Amino acid sequence: MADSDGRQIDSINHAADGDGKGHGIVRAKTEGKELTKEEKQRLRKEKKQHKKNKKDDKVPTEKEKEKEKPSVQAPSKPVTQSPTHKAAPVPVSASASESLAAAEKPVKTKAELRAERRARQDSERTSKQGKKEGGQQSTTSKPKASPSELQPVVKRLPEHVQVDDPAALKKLAKKLERQQVPLRSDYGYKVSLFSHLHQYSRKNPPTQQISIPATVIHPSVVRLGLQYSQGIIAGSNARSVALLHAFKQVIQDYSTPPNEELSRDLVNKLSPYISFLSQCRPLSASMGNAIKYIKKEISNIPSQCKEEEAKGKLQECIDSYVNEKIILASEAISKYAIEKISNGDVILVYGCSSLVNHILCDAFEKQRKFRVIVVDSRPRLEGREALRRLVKKGIRCTYVLISALSYILPEVSKVFLGAHALLANGYVMSRVGTSQIALVAKAYNVPVLVCCETYKFCERVQTDSFVSNELDDPDDLIVTRNGKTHLENWQTVKSLGLLNLVYDVTPPDFVDLVITDLGMIPCTSVPVVLRVKNVDQ
Amino acid sequence: MELQAVLMAAGGGSRMMDLTYNTPKPLLPVGNRPLIWYPLNLLERVGFEEVIVITTKEVQKALSTDLRLKTDVKMKLDVVCIQEETDMGTADALRHIQQKIKTDILVVSCDLITDVALHEVVDLFRAHNATLSMLMSKVHEFTETVPGQKGKKKGGEQRDFVGVDVTGKRLLFMANEADLEEGLVLRKSIMRKHPRMLIKTGLLDAHLYCLKRSVVDFLVHNKSVTSIRGELVPYLVRKQFSKSLNSPNATEDSEKNQKQQDAHNNLELLSTGKDEPLLQLARERSCWNDHRGDMSEAYHGGKLRCYVHIMEEGMCYRVNTLAAYIEANRVAPKLFDDPSIHPTAVVTERSLVGSDSIIGPYCQILEKTSIKRSNVGTSTTIKEKVKIINSIIMNGVTIEEGCNIQGSVICNNAVIGRGADIKYCLVGSGQRVEPEAERTNEVIVGSDQLMEI
């Protein structure tokens, strides 16, 4: 039977290589056997389990702790006929034991992983047997099995979308207090649909409670946070690059305290900085990926490496990341994009995307004849900056506000959009207004091309713009004309709320092509790229 | 480390010699605390742990012995002494301590009393990577009568012309009336870059500056700059818009001018050295600009930027004249909540001490005395039936019975004889006023002090 085979293969492969994570795939690849449907399912479940365990290793629940002791012995024995009541707690406690073991030395993890996999196989076998035998056993095993099976799959919601939950807020406050990062308070009335998001005011800067020679938080991180909150550094690429620059300075000024290892201590040092930056402005997807990369690089530094050498290596890593993922990627994207720009084109762009500007400037240098229509929207009016850069280059431009979109669209031959992030289900997250542009362009049958580097690809899935977004300062919407500011006292009017959204999501049906540094792909291929990236890493 | 604090406490108080001929300015009592306590308190409240204090020997002694200063100030004070005789300007002092300066500095003057949120000034410095960031405040009109002043206030204070851009944060122009003989001259390059400029005259410079480290290095190379406020700040503000290194300057071809040019260009070199390629890339990719309407990038591509934070409301005083001193005494007690009557003061039952007066430690106030809107210093003895209204009594003063003191300043260790009637006078340090004297609007100082200019 496939199960017993699987167990044998298990033991062989455990001996072969130590990495428990890629086991399923390695097993399948090395053996070259055709995977049955249940094996595929099992592989997927294993991977999910591993991912969840690596996240949850800090919070073992009481239930898991209790069950851990009695069941430690159970997984080590090959159980042929495990009773159904054990089947349920075993996967849960196995995950707990594995999670606790993950914190300990790697030698133990191997055994735990092996044991845990065996236990899971057994439980699945028994649940299948139970199904065959009769409904009774399966019903008893199923409800017990299903909540525990579901548990590894449910992910924790990130804090920044749980602002209306007092428990989450308390947790955040405690965490910030522990890290000595000041908590920034929300401002003004929030529209009820978005009350689960933070809304900060520029008049309460995040530096109000930080001591003036910033000691807890590195000065370059404080400077970066200020620049984020005031909008001096805006735009996905700019934010990531500035973040990496600040981290370079942090690494340069870092010195390992005695009895600590650089690979672990430096990562701990970075956490309060990241909390502070997310208090200044919620992190973008590109920043999140950059942080993940740095943390991985830091923890991969071998312990016998000297401090200076390690620091130099990290600086190099950061430089090469920026070079590969941002600079060279934009060159590659512009090379692909130029094929799509033909002479006599009328190109519509929205807001100020550094990548799209770069593409257009490159195309102009390569003697393509086209003109550009820049669409802009309040309150940011970023299109003015895009307009300035394009006109400075010499490109013929037209400038309209988004309300004139359907008027101008009959003239347009192509729409180029930038993206803040590309989500795993193919949705494009970009500046608010982008989905409108894509929608109207679709109605007029104008092709919509989204340009995005691969490092902005995100594993999140979103189908609407409400779940996870960013609320900017509502006072930005207030405008003074002819000396009169009508919205000056908007807070006193009970029934009035000002909403300043920053992002929105565009469904993949409206996007015709995504131009990335890997090539030109349809929107639905984003999960493939993500999968390939994960395998590579 | 991000910032180092430097406290300039070596000034002589040249505009209120009557008060300072015996007591150095940093030790003048304001609200029963020495003047230097206020900036030190401001720095401590904000989070500084170390301050470099540039001062004279006398003040240094007091810093280690004065009770208030020793106990209240928990920061580490690194006191640098300079001789009183050498006429050192503030910039010279910075050059003097150049070795100690390792990072950007925050220069504070010892006579600043303010409750500003210091992060406003420092945030401008941080966010825009500025070379200079300073604090200014709207001038408050002094309402109290100043002893010794005959007639209306003469406009002796020369006005400062401060030009800021539309946002009110970027400093475009700064000149003192004294330097503008032919009139206010604005360079065309400034007008081209910032077509809308607001020029303000009613501003008080708080003498609080955040300076980049490269400025200190520049001072070391250019020994001709002596004063921060008088020379360095206007120079930096002008230099924001001067032609950059790259563009050749055809008019200046003599060698002497070339050397001067080199020395002055050092500043730009020093401040641009650190601009890393990543930072450049971030700025290029960022869709932000600080101005609209022309084709240039953010900050017009300039590397030198000066910013100012103008306080609209709140307390900001510079105690460098007698009028300011009196006003500060009125207002300063609001900055901290000490009990108005110090626990060690002995105040008898039948005397009346108003709620807006403060009595210092170890005072003795005998019966039937009434004290209204006044500050009484340490170890002062006030005998019976004395009426004190609207006055400032410093430390160690003895006031005999039956005196009537109104709107006056009585300095340290003075003795006011019995039954004297003093209105709007300034009694200098250690002076004696004879009994039954009647003085109005006079400055009573010793004869040997009259020779001091």
Side-chain angles (χ1 to χ4, degrees):
Chain A
M1 213 185 130
D3 286 329
S4 52
D5 265 354
R7 226 188 311 144
Q8 265 183 346
I9 299 166
D10 236 358
S11 40
I12 296 174
N13 280 3
H14 278 290
D17 57 314
D19 185 11
K21 189 177 178 187
H23 250 127
I25 306 170
V26 171
R27 186 201 317 163
K29 282 185 183 168
T30 54
E31 292 306 310
K33 282 202 177 118
E34 202 185 336
L35 287 174
T36 59
K37 210 172 174 183
E38 54 186 67
E39 297 239 347
K40 280 193 199 157
Q41 271 180 4
R42 206 182 311 136
L43 283 175
R44 250 178 262 144
K45 275 191 190 137
E46 277 169 18
K47 254 208 275 183
K48 273 191 203 157
Q49 183 81 349
H50 277 297
K51 278 201 187 141
K52 195 250 172 189
N53 291 336
K54 285 221 162 93
K55 261 195 206 164
D56 283 345
D57 64 350
K58 287 191 184 120
V59 194
T61 61
E62 227 184 71
K63 172 183 154 208
E64 292 176 345
K65 259 194 178 158
E66 281 175 12
K67 305 244 172 90
E68 189 238 2
K69 288 231 176 88
S71 59
V72 155
Q73 286 82 34
S76 52
K77 294 184 249 150
V79 180
T80 47
Q81 183 72 269
S82 54
T84 50
H85 71 271
K86 258 197 176 176
V90 160
V92 174
S93 54
S95 69
S97 57
E98 202 220 301
S99 58
L100 287 168
E104 290 164 356
K105 296 187 190 121
V107 181
K108 208 175 172 193
T109 321
K110 247 195 280 180
E112 294 286 355
L113 279 174
R114 211 181 304 159
E116 181 246 323
R117 187 169 288 112
R118 223 174 282 141
R120 215 183 303 125
Q121 288 171 13
D122 292 345
S123 69
E124 276 168 50
R125 209 181 344 114
T126 52
S127 63
K128 266 177 219 114
Q129 283 181 355
K131 241 193 264 177
K132 281 190 203 156
E133 280 166 32
Q136 211 191 24
Q137 237 183 345
S138 64
T139 48
T140 48
S141 66
K142 251 199 180 163
K144 282 204 187 141
S146 40
S148 56
E149 283 297 309
L150 277 175
Q151 203 168 8
V153 179
V154 168
K155 292 193 172 173
R156 264 178 306 161
L157 278 175
E159 170 283 317
H160 66 268
V161 296
Q162 282 190 300
V163 175
D164 53 353
D165 179 12
L169 277 181
K170 234 190 280 179
K171 212 166 148 204
L172 170 72
K174 248 196 257 170
K175 174 177 127 183
L176 289 180
E177 208 180 333
R178 195 174 16 104
Q179 293 175 329
Q180 292 180 290
V181 171
L183 175 70
R184 205 173 172 195
S185 48
D186 284 357
Y187 166 78
Y189 170 70
K190 277 191 265 192
V191 173
S192 58
L193 268 176
F194 293 95
S195 56
H196 61 285
L197 298 169
H198 282 293
Q199 182 171 278
Y200 298 128
S201 164
R202 215 154 283 143
K203 291 191 289 241
N204 299 335
T207 48
Q208 259 175 345
Q209 287 128 342
I210 295 196
S211 65
I212 289 271
T215 40
V216 174
I217 301 179
H218 193 272
S220 50
V221 176
V222 175
R223 168 172 299 164
L224 187 64
L226 264 177
Q227 288 175 329
Y228 282 165
S229 69
Q230 292 182 6
I232 296 176
I233 299 216
S236 197
N237 281 337
R239 289 211 275 164
S240 314
V241 172
L243 175 73
L244 291 170
H245 169 80
F247 277 176
K248 268 179 88 170
Q249 298 197 304
V250 168
I251 291 175
Q252 197 159 13
D253 294 339
Y254 172 77
S255 56
T256 327
N259 304 331
E260 293 278 354
E261 265 197 43
L262 184 136
S263 53
R264 264 177 238 147
D265 189 58
L266 187 52
V267 179
N268 292 340
K269 271 255 160 41
L270 289 180
S271 312
Y273 302 162
I274 296 170
S275 305
F276 172 72
L277 289 176
S278 59
Q279 286 288 295
C280 297
R281 193 175 162 191
L283 296 182
S284 67
S286 54
M287 285 166 69
N289 287 342
I291 291 174
K292 256 189 245 163
Y293 173 77
I294 288 197
K295 284 195 174 167
K296 191 175 74 91
E297 286 298 316
I298 294 177
S299 24
N300 281 347
I301 291 209
S303 43
Q304 61 267 28
C305 200
K306 274 202 271 273
E307 187 175 317
E308 284 313 311
E309 211 184 299
K311 285 206 252 185
K313 222 178 5 170
L314 285 173
Q315 310 260 12
E316 265 176 40
C317 281
I318 293 182
D319 280 332
S320 72
Y321 185 83
V322 172
N323 199 27
E324 271 174 49
K325 308 272 181 184
I326 302 180
I327 301 179
L328 289 180
S330 69
E331 300 290 326
I333 292 179
S334 116
K335 237 197 278 191
Y336 288 120
I338 270 194
E339 298 169 24
K340 294 290 177 190
I341 301 179
S342 24
N343 283 338
D345 259 348
V346 179
I347 298 178
L348 187 123
V349 296
Y350 178 63
C352 185
S353 164
S354 55
L355 188 53
V356 173
N357 291 343
H358 184 255
I359 291 174
L360 293 177
C361 293
D362 262 0
F364 188 73
E365 268 170 29
K366 299 213 166 67
Q367 314 301 331
R368 291 280 198 278
K369 303 277 176 288
F370 58 93
R371 67 180 179 95
V372 175
I373 299 182
V374 179
V375 177
D376 205 3
S377 72
R378 276 196 72 224
R380 285 179 172 238
L381 292 170
E382 287 170 334
R384 298 186 289 185
E385 184 60 22
L387 186 68
R388 176 187 76 80
R389 289 180 196 196
L390 295 175
V391 171
K392 193 170 181 188
K393 206 66 188 192
I395 304 176
R396 262 195 323 152
C397 294
T398 309
Y399 177 87
V400 289
L401 285 181
I402 195 170
S403 37
L405 183 63
S406 49
Y407 168 74
I408 203 99
L409 214 55
E411 294 180 18
V412 174
S413 61
K414 290 188 181 72
V415 176
F416 272 80
L417 297 173
H420 167 87
L422 240 60
L423 306 173
N425 56 349
Y427 279 63
V428 177
M429 183 179 220
S430 187
R431 184 68 78 223
V432 65
T434 313
S435 62
Q436 285 304 297
I437 302 231
L439 173 67
V440 181
K442 184 81 179 176
Y444 279 87
N445 274 326
V446 174
V448 173
L449 292 86
V450 170
C451 310
C452 182
E453 298 97 335
T454 48
Y455 86 106
K456 288 185 194 162
F457 284 20
C458 179
E459 283 171 9
R460 229 173 40 207
V461 169
Q462 235 181 286
T463 51
D464 59 56
S465 319
F466 298 98
V467 154
S468 177
N469 208 322
E470 186 186 328
L471 294 177
D472 209 355
D473 190 349
D475 291 337
D476 284 350
L477 292 172
I478 301 176
V479 75
T480 307
R481 288 231 172 85
N482 299 331
K484 275 196 277 199
T485 316
H486 292 283
L487 282 175
E488 204 164 3
N489 302 315
W490 68 273
Q491 306 227 37
T492 54
V493 182
K494 289 283 180 244
S495 48
L496 179 63
L498 294 190
L499 179 65
N500 190 356
L501 274 184
V502 182
Y503 298 116
D504 71 5
V505 283
T506 310
D509 331 322
F510 298 147
V511 176
D512 294 306
L513 194 64
V514 177
I515 309 181
T516 68
D517 38 322
L518 293 175
M520 300 196 265
I521 59 177
C523 233
T524 44
S525 305
V526 170
V528 178
V529 173
L530 279 172
R531 194 158 14 111
V532 168
K533 257 206 315 184
N534 280 343
V535 169
D536 281 345
Q537 288 170 3
Chain B
M1 236 216 307
E2 192 184 3
L3 277 180
Q4 273 176 290
V6 177
L7 182 58
M8 299 281 186
S14 47
R15 274 184 276 186
M16 36 187 203
M17 282 315 289
D18 309 320
L19 286 175
T20 55
Y21 64 82
N22 226 347
T23 335
K25 185 168 86 162
L27 298 178
L28 277 181
V30 173
N32 290 343
R33 283 166 204 258
L35 184 55
I36 200 174
W37 183 87
Y38 290 91
L40 284 175
N41 180 259
L42 172 70
L43 293 172
E44 190 170 345
R45 251 185 303 133
V46 163
F48 275 95
E49 288 174 353
E50 284 189 10
V51 184
I52 303 176
V53 184
I54 303 180
T55 181
T56 54
K57 282 215 171 38
E58 210 177 322
V59 180
Q60 182 187 32
K61 216 180 344 163
L63 278 175
S64 45
T65 57
D66 186 301
L67 201 63
R68 267 269 157 68
L69 289 174
K70 218 167 37 159
T71 53
D72 276 359
V73 176
K74 299 199 183 42
M75 305 183 286
K76 186 167 91 85
L77 299 177
D78 182 5
V79 185
V80 174
C81 275
I82 56 170
Q83 304 289 35
E84 272 173 52
E85 294 75 37
T86 62
D87 198 12
M88 246 201 194
T90 38
D92 296 325
L94 277 186
R95 210 174 292 129
H96 183 76
I97 56 164
Q98 181 238 349
Q99 298 296 331
K100 293 185 189 264
I101 297 182
K102 311 258 182 307
T103 69
D104 303 335
I105 53 174
L106 174 69
V107 179
V108 190
S109 172
C110 67
D111 53 10
L112 177 66
I113 299 182
T114 179
D115 63 350
V116 71
L118 206 53
H119 72 85
E120 307 258 4
V121 181
V122 182
D123 277 353
L124 285 173
F125 185 69
R126 288 166 175 156
H128 298 278
N129 211 5
T131 311
L132 161 74
S133 167
M134 53 188 285
L135 173 68
M136 291 194 128
S137 155
K138 289 216 154 41
V139 169
H140 303 269
E141 283 303 316
F142 294 142
T143 49
E144 309 274 341
T145 335
V146 179
Q149 240 184 23
K150 294 149 175 68
K152 278 198 72 166
K153 233 190 330 191
K154 44 188 160 65
E157 295 290 317
Q158 298 260 316
R159 289 181 297 175
D160 272 330
F161 288 86
V162 179
V164 291
D165 73 342
V166 233
T167 61
K169 300 273 171 202
R170 181 90 190 263
L171 196 49
L172 302 175
F173 179 79
M174 158 132 9
N176 190 282
E177 196 170 347
D179 300 327
L180 303 173
E181 279 132 48
E182 314 92 36
L184 207 140
V185 177
L186 288 174
R187 293 171 69 169
K188 231 199 275 182
S189 55
I190 307 180
M191 293 308 289
R192 229 179 276 133
K193 292 181 181 165
H194 298 268
R196 300 194 67 183
M197 189 191 315
L198 300 163
I199 299 199
K200 305 187 178 217
T201 50
L203 289 182
L204 166 76
D205 185 345
H207 275 224
L208 191 147
Y209 308 108
C210 278
L211 293 168
K212 264 220 163 101
R213 176 114 200 344
S214 47
V215 176
V216 179
D217 294 337
F218 165 76
L219 282 179
V220 168
H221 287 156
N222 291 284
K223 304 213 190 290
S224 56
V225 180
T226 51
S227 151
I228 295 184
R229 173 64 181 89
E231 291 166 51
L232 183 63
V233 171
Y235 173 75
L236 287 176
V237 174
R238 270 200 317 271
K239 197 85 172 66
Q240 286 179 100
F241 303 104
S242 66
K243 293 198 177 69
S244 63
L245 277 174
N246 299 330
S247 60
N249 215 338
T251 54
E252 303 184 300
D253 41 28
S254 71
E255 207 185 73
K256 177 164 169 272
N257 272 346
Q258 191 63 31
K259 267 205 198 130
Q260 219 178 35
Q261 180 108 342
D262 281 338
H264 285 202
N265 288 337
N266 266 340
L267 182 60
E268 259 199 42
L269 270 173
L270 290 166
S271 58
T272 62
K274 288 276 218 62
D275 248 15
E276 275 190 46
L278 271 188
L279 208 53
Q280 277 289 82
L281 181 66
R283 197 167 287 161
E284 266 172 53
R285 296 296 183 108
S286 171
C287 53
W288 177 84
N289 207 324
D290 65 330
H291 63 278
R292 303 251 157 258
D294 62 2
M295 282 298 189
S296 24
E297 49 188 28
Y299 306 128
H300 301 277
K303 305 275 192 309
L304 218 161
R305 299 180 273 279
C306 299
Y307 284 87
V308 63
H309 172 67
I310 301 182
M311 267 176 85
E312 301 284 327
E313 15 174 73
M315 195 193 312
C316 181
Y317 293 99
R318 280 208 59 224
V319 179
N320 54 0
T321 57
L322 188 51
Y325 177 73
I326 297 176
E327 186 76 20
N329 260 298
R330 273 281 80 69
V331 178
K334 300 199 186 75
L335 261 185
F336 47 86
D337 342 281
D338 259 3
S340 52
I341 302 180
H342 200 273
T344 56
V346 174
V347 180
T348 49
E349 296 274 312
R350 313 255 315 268
S351 59
L352 198 71
V353 176
S355 55
D356 39 10
S357 307
I358 54 172
I359 314 285
Y362 309 118
C363 279
Q364 267 199 325
I365 303 188
L366 303 183
E367 280 100 30
K368 296 210 189 138
T369 312
S370 122
I371 303 185
K372 293 199 186 110
R373 293 191 77 216
S374 301
N375 294 357
V376 179
T378 324
S379 311
T380 315
T381 312
I382 303 184
K383 301 267 168 74
E384 299 91 357
K385 298 210 191 89
V386 171
K387 265 207 249 175
I388 304 184
I389 303 173
N390 236 349
S391 303
I392 299 167
I393 321 275
M394 292 198 203
N395 312 327
V397 173
T398 311
I399 304 186
E400 308 283 345
E401 308 92 60
C403 285
N404 189 343
I405 303 183
Q406 198 176 345
S408 305
V409 178
I410 319 278
C411 293
N412 290 334
N413 304 319
V415 177
I416 312 287
R418 192 176 321 151
D421 187 9
I422 315 240
K423 286 201 181 66
Y424 305 115
C425 288
L426 186 141
V427 179
S429 224
Q431 294 302 306
R432 282 192 64 91
V433 176
E434 45 308 337
E436 308 297 333
E438 267 192 37
R439 305 294 186 97
T440 313
N441 216 352
E442 277 184 38
V443 176
I444 304 166
V445 290
S447 51
D448 50 329
Q449 306 308 325
L450 286 172
M451 290 316 290
E452 294 242 5
I453 304 291

